[in-house]
Amino acid sequence: MFLALREMRFAKARYILIATIMVLVAFLVLFVTGLAQGLAYDNAASVKNMAATHFVMEDNSNHRFTRSQIDEEQLDAAAAVVGDQNVEPLGVSMTTVIPEGETVKLDITLLAVRPEGWLMPELTSGTKLSDSSNRYVLVDQSMTEDGIDIGTVLVDQASGAEWTVNGFVANESFSHTPAVFLSEQDWIDLQMQSPGHPGADEAASNTRYNAIAVKVSADQLTYLQEALPGTEIITKSEAISAIPGYKEEQGSLLMMIGFLFAISAFVLAVFFYVITIQKTSQFGILKAIGTRTSYLAKSVALQVLVLSVGSLALSILIVQLFKAVLPDSMPFQLGWLTVVITGVSFIVMSLGGSLFSVWKVTKIDALDAIGRTAA
């Protein structure tokens, strides 16, 4: 340890240069990781926030809400297996709305839930929906940036339906669009207004949803599937992965993070290998006077460890400063658990990159190194 730290104090400029590069690489890794998590959450926040363990969808819907159709009979059959308190209908529809009196168009996702059910998110401001609520909705608070306020009337571009904003909820989005929650009755009314709908009587008796959210144990899954032929029961993670663009987006970002880890290990390996070659004669002299090879190898590894830990700590501080000034509209999330996992991975990759230099130290021959110095 004495040799490693003494050398770093002696050659400050060299190690400051290496540390600067490591700080930049670590910062980039953490920033892209936070961006990947932020985009993932923004793409599926509403589904992630739901208390459901599984979703029942129509068979051959490819796990996508918008491709699935579930009727009242299937809803009753699910309730008979797991209990009424563990079953909630869910309607999902992506559409475009226009604030009344405005020309701006806003892409949203309609989520139809029971007002008193456990799928309804907590209210941040305004008034809750109730079973008697008609033509009222709760919207994600991000829509305030588009001028939406309590009392604003939203007009559905497709059906012409109108809803009044009754309150706001936080962190609710689907497929990168803000979520708008409406009651079960308004969902029925919306189906009645869809083109080609036969009429109100059939709408009331044959309401169709996109999925059934359930709280179910592993023991009940088999019985639930048997009671619901023509359906598939999927986990919450499977439903999230099936959201359009989710896997592709996350795959690209995770590949980028992987390449950043590989690049950081390669850059560090090159730097320390070059430094090790430059110090071949000094290592040879130290070996000649009795210094153990293991001691020299530990000195190289310790230098890498000190640099990587110090650079990582500085990069975390910079990322937190960036996070504080980033606009709320930017999807960025970086929890401390992610920071710890990413940090440990970065340190492991850095130490892995230094192994080639450690191997070089073990291969140095004292007599050759001294002879080369004398020549």
Side-chain angles (χ1 to χ4, degrees):
M1 180 178 292
F2 173 78
L3 177 63
L5 299 179
R6 182 67 180 271
E7 182 184 6
M8 292 177 69
R9 287 198 299 267
F10 178 77
K12 294 184 181 68
R14 175 188 297 170
Y15 287 98
I16 288 175
L17 176 62
I18 298 175
T20 301
I21 294 174
M22 293 181 69
V23 167
L24 294 175
V25 173
F27 168 77
L28 191 56
V29 169
L30 288 170
F31 190 83
V32 174
T33 301
L35 185 61
Q37 288 206 334
L39 287 170
Y41 187 75
D42 186 67
N43 204 351
S46 292
V47 180
K48 288 184 177 181
N49 294 339
M50 291 178 180
T53 60
H54 295 75
F55 293 95
V56 180
M57 294 187 187
E58 184 183 4
D59 203 10
N60 299 321
S61 62
N62 293 328
H63 299 178
R64 293 193 178 184
F65 290 103
T66 53
R67 295 180 180 178
S68 173
Q69 290 289 314
I70 297 294
D71 58 31
E72 287 279 359
E73 292 183 1
Q74 292 168 316
L75 181 65
D76 294 338
V81 176
V82 299
D84 291 331
Q85 72 280 7
N86 294 320
V87 171
E88 290 285 341
L90 174 64
V92 181
S93 177
M94 301 186 72
T95 186
T96 300
V97 295
I98 305 172
E100 191 175 47
E102 303 288 340
T103 57
V104 61
K105 297 182 179 181
L106 306 174
D107 293 325
I108 64 165
T109 298
L110 292 173
L111 296 178
V113 299
R114 288 174 175 169
E116 304 301 329
W118 44 264
L119 286 184
M120 180 63 73
E122 292 186 10
L123 198 69
T124 58
S125 62
T127 307
K128 292 182 178 181
L129 299 182
S130 65
D131 292 328
S132 60
S133 296
N134 190 23
R135 303 295 183 181
Y136 287 99
V137 293
L138 303 180
V139 305
D140 183 65
Q141 62 185 9
S142 64
M143 295 186 70
T144 57
E145 299 175 4
D146 298 305
I148 305 301
D149 203 350
I150 294 176
T152 299
V153 176
L154 303 177
V155 182
D156 183 24
Q157 181 177 260
S159 65
E162 297 182 0
W163 306 290
T164 302
V165 176
N166 208 41
F168 290 97
V169 294
N171 301 320
E172 295 291 341
S173 58
F174 182 92
S175 193
H176 296 304
T177 61
V180 173
F181 291 84
L182 70 164
S183 67
E184 209 172 356
Q185 183 58 50
D186 282 336
W187 179 256
I188 295 173
D189 294 342
L190 183 63
Q191 291 182 1
M192 289 168 52
Q193 296 180 32
S194 62
H197 199 279
D201 293 337
E202 186 173 339
S205 62
N206 192 27
T207 304
R208 291 188 175 274
Y209 304 95
N210 295 100
I212 304 172
V214 296
K215 295 178 181 178
V216 59
S217 64
D219 297 334
Q220 293 175 311
L221 278 176
T222 302
Y223 299 107
L224 185 61
Q225 186 65 77
E226 291 175 352
L228 295 169
T231 66
E232 56 183 356
I233 303 173
I234 64 173
T235 62
K236 184 188 293 188
S237 60
E238 289 175 328
I240 291 172
S241 297
I243 294 175
Y246 183 89
K247 289 192 296 185
E248 293 79 6
E249 180 182 83
Q250 291 300 299
S252 299
L253 290 170
L254 290 175
M255 183 179 295
M256 189 183 301
I257 294 170
F259 274 116
L260 286 173
F261 274 120
I263 290 171
S264 64
F266 178 77
V267 169
L268 194 63
V270 170
F271 264 103
F272 272 91
Y273 184 69
V274 171
I275 292 174
T276 301
I277 292 177
Q278 292 175 341
K279 298 186 297 183
T280 299
S281 57
Q282 289 92 328
F283 281 134
I285 293 172
L286 288 171
K287 281 189 174 184
I289 61 176
T291 305
R292 290 176 298 175
T293 299
S294 60
Y295 179 82
L296 298 176
K298 289 179 182 177
S299 296
V300 174
L302 180 62
Q303 288 178 345
V304 176
L305 182 62
V306 170
L307 286 172
S308 58
V309 172
S311 301
L312 182 63
L314 184 57
S315 65
I316 291 174
L317 177 61
I318 297 174
V319 167
Q320 293 301 319
L321 292 175
F322 264 78
K323 183 180 178 181
V325 300
L326 286 175
D328 294 335
S329 58
M330 177 170 285
F332 185 88
Q333 284 193 342
L334 192 64
W336 284 109
L337 178 61
T338 304
V339 170
V340 171
I341 294 174
T342 305
V344 171
S345 301
F346 180 78
I347 293 173
V348 171
M349 290 293 289
S350 300
L351 290 172
S354 69
L355 291 179
F356 196 50
S357 298
V358 172
W359 174 80
K360 181 64 177 178
V361 169
T362 63
K363 296 299 181 181
I364 293 175
D365 183 83
L367 294 178
D368 287 344
I370 294 173
R372 193 181 306 116
T373 304

